[in-house]
Amino acid sequence: MRYSSHTNQSILKALAEQFQAFHQTLGTRSVASANTNQVEVEFPEKGMAFDQLNRLISEQVRPHISASNGGRYWGFVTGGANPVATYADWLVTTFNQNVSKGGDSIASEIEQQALHWLCELFVLPKTFNGIFTTGATAANVLAAFTARQYAGHQQNIDVTQSGMTGLDVAIFSATPHASMVKSLGFAGFGQNSWQKIACNPQDESMDVSALDNALTHSKCASKVVIASAATVTGTDFDDIAAIAALCKEHQAWLHVDAAFGIFERLVNGETGKTRGIELADSITLDCHKWLNVPYDCGVFLTQHMDLLKQCCDVSAPYLVTPENTLSYMSMGIENSRRFRAFPVWATLLAYGKHGIANNINSNIRHAKQLALWLDHSDKYQLLKPCELNVVLFKPNSEVVGNSSGECMTKLNASGQVLLTPGVWRGEPIIRAALSNWATTDEDVTQVISALDAIT
């Protein structure tokens, strides 16, 4: 099959039909598919005709795709691709740009523009810059790399060139995300290398006095602190301003994992829960969460681009970049990179700061609507006041007769909603995270009905 006027029309027609068929059923299809088996088709010796392939997708693939793009997928922290971002993502594939270095396409400049606009959106100083990544995990890997290089500089070791032999680093955190722990392993520190700092009573945020004590008594030559702007279960925020002051005093690197928590800044401003994030050495955020662009879109921001480039740059004759052009392959993990900044760029232009903030406020309102019902229900127990977009609850076993796991399994099997588990104060619970722009009052009412029907 080759591109031609006829082929192009066939593809566009098929795309339109698939798009319409999928989106028109988002409100009625099961949120989680009950059939996840492989497609019943043999690998062909000769290629399949496009019409036949499209029919196979329509009959055996599309019916079993989850409705994660819809308004009742409340597991993890999952955004839905907004219409403008969806269109832009189609163009990403159409344009098929390799954003590895500048000089031959506007794509690299658009990525820079999108990064600058994100910093403006979150009121971060112009000293921040960075790179788009595949997600928060890759961004946290870059955070571990830059923190490692910073520690090496303090000890006269170029870790990127010479390795970690002799490097002496202490890493402190209270409730790091699993992706951050994973990243510490990737960076060679080890997943068990971080020192647990006590949390404040009743939540998952860091006890600043405990951090002060740990930093003061640490004998390590270098120190790294990993703070959280919205922990994954309790949605708790560390006191970043106070932590930043301690890091400055102890010359410690401060990384803030703010994958979705940084968007709180659009609700409560610079003096809200993210106060002080502008003082961080590096920040992770995820655009495929609360910015509601398609998956494969995280961001790593840092005030130390020189360290990031030292970590990622490698010389090879065919990789030489002309002077005065951007070299993204020297800023991130990949050499070849998808034009993943484009849906973000288009979303920022189409919705603006107010439109994005309105979507976030809508999710918060819906989460509080759910929490209020749970708090007044005799079937469930609300475990923590809802302050943002995550609701923690468990069934009242005396009334419902199900554990949290059993109740969640029944809810997910109903096809009305998808929820994921959590642990709160050592107890298994159910966690609802509302971060899809498309969630409506009707969606919340439908989920409440499903909750009320559990026996």
Side-chain angles (χ1 to χ4, degrees):
M1 189 173 185
R2 296 179 179 274
Y3 287 115
S4 67
S5 178
H6 178 266
T7 297
N8 295 349
Q9 290 302 316
S10 297
I11 290 173
L12 289 173
K13 180 183 177 183
L15 175 60
E17 291 172 351
Q18 293 286 4
F19 178 80
Q20 284 287 99
F22 180 70
H23 272 269
Q24 286 179 346
T25 61
L26 267 179
T28 56
R29 68 169 52 227
S30 292
V31 178
S33 175
N35 184 350
T36 58
N37 296 323
Q38 290 185 357
V39 175
E40 296 178 1
V41 61
E42 297 293 331
F43 177 53
E45 288 291 333
K46 294 183 179 180
M48 183 181 289
F50 178 72
D51 288 347
Q52 185 181 359
L53 171 62
N54 190 47
R55 187 163 56 252
L56 179 70
I57 293 170
S58 298
E59 294 173 355
Q60 296 197 46
V61 177
R62 193 182 70 223
H64 309 303
I65 295 291
S66 77
S68 59
N69 213 32
R72 284 175 277 109
Y73 194 98
W74 295 354
F76 314 104
V77 185
T78 302
N82 69 66
V84 171
T86 298
Y87 167 70
D89 204 58
W90 292 343
L91 293 181
V92 170
T93 300
T94 300
F95 298 153
N96 197 30
Q97 301 293 285
N98 179 8
V99 191
S100 59
K101 57 183 180 180
D104 68 344
S105 170
I106 196 174
S108 57
E109 295 299 334
I110 284 178
E111 178 157 341
Q112 274 297 298
Q113 193 170 36
L115 286 164
H116 293 157
W117 285 348
L118 283 173
C119 290
E120 187 177 339
L121 179 71
F122 298 123
V123 198
L124 297 174
K126 293 182 178 179
T127 47
F128 276 96
N129 201 349
I131 188 169
F132 280 89
T133 66
T134 55
T137 301
N140 279 334
V141 170
L142 293 178
F145 287 167
T146 49
R148 188 183 66 183
Q149 192 73 356
Y150 171 79
H153 277 221
Q154 289 182 315
Q155 300 172 47
N156 296 315
I157 303 171
D158 186 339
V159 175
T160 300
Q161 298 298 320
S162 304
M164 296 178 67
T165 302
L167 191 68
D168 184 26
V169 184
I171 302 171
F172 306 96
S173 191
T175 316
H177 191 276
S179 69
M180 190 70 244
V181 176
K182 185 176 184 177
S183 298
L184 293 175
F186 285 155
F189 290 116
Q191 292 188 8
N192 298 324
S193 63
W194 60 284
Q195 180 177 328
K196 169 72 174 176
I197 301 299
C199 294
N200 290 311
Q202 310 304 318
D203 67 30
E204 295 176 321
S205 64
M206 187 183 298
D207 182 336
V208 176
S209 62
L211 175 65
D212 186 10
N213 183 65
L215 288 169
T216 300
H217 290 90
S218 174
K219 303 300 182 182
C220 289
S222 298
K223 304 170 184 67
V224 174
V225 176
I226 300 166
S228 297
T231 57
V232 71
T233 302
T235 330
D236 296 310
F237 287 71
D238 290 341
D239 186 342
I240 302 171
I243 293 170
L246 288 176
C247 287
K248 183 177 181 180
E249 178 185 346
H250 292 275
Q251 297 183 303
W253 180 277
L254 173 58
H255 174 64
V256 179
D257 189 338
F260 74 96
I262 195 169
F263 288 88
E264 183 271 348
R265 212 164 170 83
L266 303 184
V267 178
N268 297 316
E270 302 165 67
T271 59
K273 295 176 182 291
T274 62
R275 186 177 68 89
I277 199 171
E278 68 278 1
L279 304 172
D281 293 294
S282 58
I283 301 171
T284 283
L285 65 103
D286 234 343
C287 294
H288 57 228
K289 288 187 170 66
W290 236 346
L291 197 61
N292 283 275
V293 304
Y295 268 108
D296 190 69
C297 193
V299 177
F300 175 68
L301 297 172
T302 181
Q303 300 197 71
H304 305 273
M305 287 297 290
D306 56 331
L307 294 178
L308 178 62
K309 291 176 182 177
Q310 289 171 25
C311 295
C312 300
D313 188 36
V314 63
S315 60
Y318 79 101
L319 297 178
V320 172
T321 302
E323 292 185 12
N324 301 320
T325 60
L326 292 164
S327 178
Y328 284 106
M329 66 176 68
S330 296
M331 304 179 199
I333 297 169
E334 307 148 306
N335 280 0
S336 300
R337 302 174 63 251
R338 193 171 191 267
F339 189 15
R340 60 177 62 92
F342 195 50
V344 173
W345 182 86
T347 294
L348 293 173
L349 281 175
Y351 290 85
K353 185 172 185 177
H354 290 299
I356 296 165
N358 285 341
N359 287 339
I360 291 167
N361 277 310
S362 178
N363 284 155
I364 294 172
R365 180 175 63 82
H366 287 135
K368 289 185 176 181
Q369 180 184 345
L370 173 66
L372 181 64
W373 182 85
L374 289 165
D375 200 30
H376 287 86
S377 170
D378 62 345
K379 290 186 174 182
Y380 298 93
Q381 180 182 351
L382 181 69
L383 299 173
K384 187 175 189 287
C386 175
E387 297 181 9
L388 208 58
N389 66 318
V390 175
V391 182
L392 307 183
F393 66 100
K394 67 177 182 178
N396 182 342
S397 57
E398 293 181 3
V399 177
V400 177
N402 290 281
S403 66
S404 291
E406 291 167 339
C407 183
M408 188 179 63
T409 297
K410 288 183 177 181
L411 286 165
N412 291 347
S414 74
Q416 304 300 302
V417 66
L418 186 132
L419 302 167
T420 44
V423 174
W424 187 249
R425 299 180 188 172
E427 184 179 8
I429 62 160
I430 303 172
R431 175 181 170 277
L434 286 69
S435 49
N436 191 316
W437 69 277
T439 299
T440 63
D441 290 344
E442 291 73 20
D443 286 320
V444 179
T445 299
Q446 186 172 339
V447 173
I448 286 175
S449 295
L451 285 163
D452 202 28
I454 295 295
T455 58

